[in-house]
Amino acid sequence: MEVEANNRPISKDQADDISYDLAAKYWSSIPATVDGMLGGFGYISNTDIQGSLKFLRELFKMRDPPGRRQALDCGAGIGRVSKNLLIQNFEKVDLVEQNPVFLEHAKNYIGPCHKVGEFYNFGLQDFIPETAKYDVIWSQWVLGHLTDEHFIQNGLKPSGVIVVKENLSSEDVEIDPVDSSVTRPHALLRHLFQQAGLNCFKEVKQSSLPSGLYEVRMFALRPSSGTSP
């Protein structure tokens, strides 16, 4: 079956441009602040969190909702999403982040909290979650640093959900040579979900972002062999 142009996987040349070492070097130069985590757009944090909260609440209202015991924050940075979203909605939250400085700042940023679980110092390409541990795996603005073959991993409980929140390019794959990230078009993201054996059963556009930024969408995913709403 032919794949449409904007549904093409990243080419070999493009994949060669995605360097995990270069990305790690870039992020090591970024201040451990909300503004740093959001690329200088720290003022959108509340809008982003409110959009994510609405999406998460809709998942909890499904016929077969995810549980609320354990969540994983992928590419957690200083714990912005963990503190402002996940900790408010789950009994325990683990954080995985490749930059050890960010993880240390996360402990201070979040503060003492019995809901914080493990801090995993791994890049997502190297992190293998414990089988059937998480009710929700939250992956936001981090898949752009992964090549297609490292696109996503699964440690879900039977009724668990992976949430992906990402920028979308308008047509083709776009590579940022500064931070070695990739922005994929909508069709390619959906195609990669399918390749990974995941069914996208809900999709919502983040509203109220300033003009001039990439379109941002949230996707709710479950293994294709599992139950869907």
Side-chain angles (χ1 to χ4, degrees):
M1 180 178 68
E2 286 191 5
V3 176
E4 296 179 3
N6 65 352
N7 203 12
R8 286 194 301 262
I10 296 172
S11 69
K12 183 182 184 303
D13 288 342
Q14 288 172 323
D16 289 343
D17 287 336
I18 302 174
S19 165
Y20 293 135
D21 290 339
L22 181 60
K25 183 178 179 180
Y26 168 81
W27 284 104
S28 70
S29 68
I30 298 301
T33 62
V34 170
D35 204 46
M37 299 302 97
L38 293 176
F41 295 94
Y43 62 90
I44 72 168
S45 183
N46 186 61
T47 298
D48 163 65
I49 293 296
Q50 290 305 309
S52 297
L53 178 59
K54 181 179 179 181
F55 189 73
L56 190 58
R57 285 173 173 168
E58 290 173 355
L59 297 182
F60 289 143
K61 292 177 181 177
M62 296 189 308
R63 180 177 49 122
D64 182 24
R68 302 183 67 160
R69 185 175 184 280
Q70 186 91 39
L72 176 68
D73 185 357
C74 294
I78 64 168
R80 182 186 69 90
V81 171
S82 287
K83 178 178 181 176
N84 297 299
L85 176 71
L86 300 179
I87 285 172
Q88 315 302 323
N89 290 280
F90 295 91
E91 295 177 22
K92 193 71 70 175
V93 178
D94 292 344
L95 294 81
V96 55
E97 167 56 48
Q98 61 89 26
N99 188 318
V101 175
F102 291 168
L103 275 185
E104 284 303 310
H105 277 270
K107 296 173 185 178
N108 294 325
Y109 177 73
I110 296 172
C113 180
H114 69 279
K115 290 188 173 184
V116 176
E118 301 295 329
F119 291 85
Y120 295 109
N121 184 203
F122 288 98
L124 284 184
Q125 71 276 10
D126 299 317
F127 180 68
I128 301 175
E130 183 180 327
T131 302
K133 181 177 183 180
Y134 297 106
D135 297 292
V136 169
I137 296 176
W138 193 277
S139 179
Q140 179 166 349
W141 289 325
V142 67
L143 297 187
H145 289 285
L146 299 180
T147 57
D148 289 354
E149 65 267 24
H150 291 150
F151 189 66
I152 204 156
Q153 299 188 53
N154 197 344
L156 291 177
K157 293 180 180 178
S159 62
V161 174
I162 296 172
V163 175
V164 169
K165 188 169 187 176
E166 278 297 331
N167 293 339
L168 299 178
S169 59
S170 57
E171 293 183 7
D172 297 319
V173 172
E174 298 180 12
I175 304 289
D176 186 333
V178 177
D179 64 2
S180 191
S181 67
V182 57
T183 305
R184 297 170 172 92
H186 181 268
L188 178 55
L189 265 181
R190 295 290 300 240
H191 180 65
L192 291 176
F193 297 154
Q194 185 179 26
Q195 280 192 321
L198 296 168
N199 172 45
C200 180
F201 63 87
K202 186 175 183 61
E203 174 184 334
V204 173
K205 180 180 177 180
Q206 170 69 52
S207 63
S208 303
L209 292 179
S211 61
L213 299 182
Y214 282 115
E215 179 182 325
V216 175
R217 286 184 177 263
M218 292 165 278
F219 305 88
L221 313 165
R222 274 179 168 159
S224 299
S225 57
T227 60
S228 296

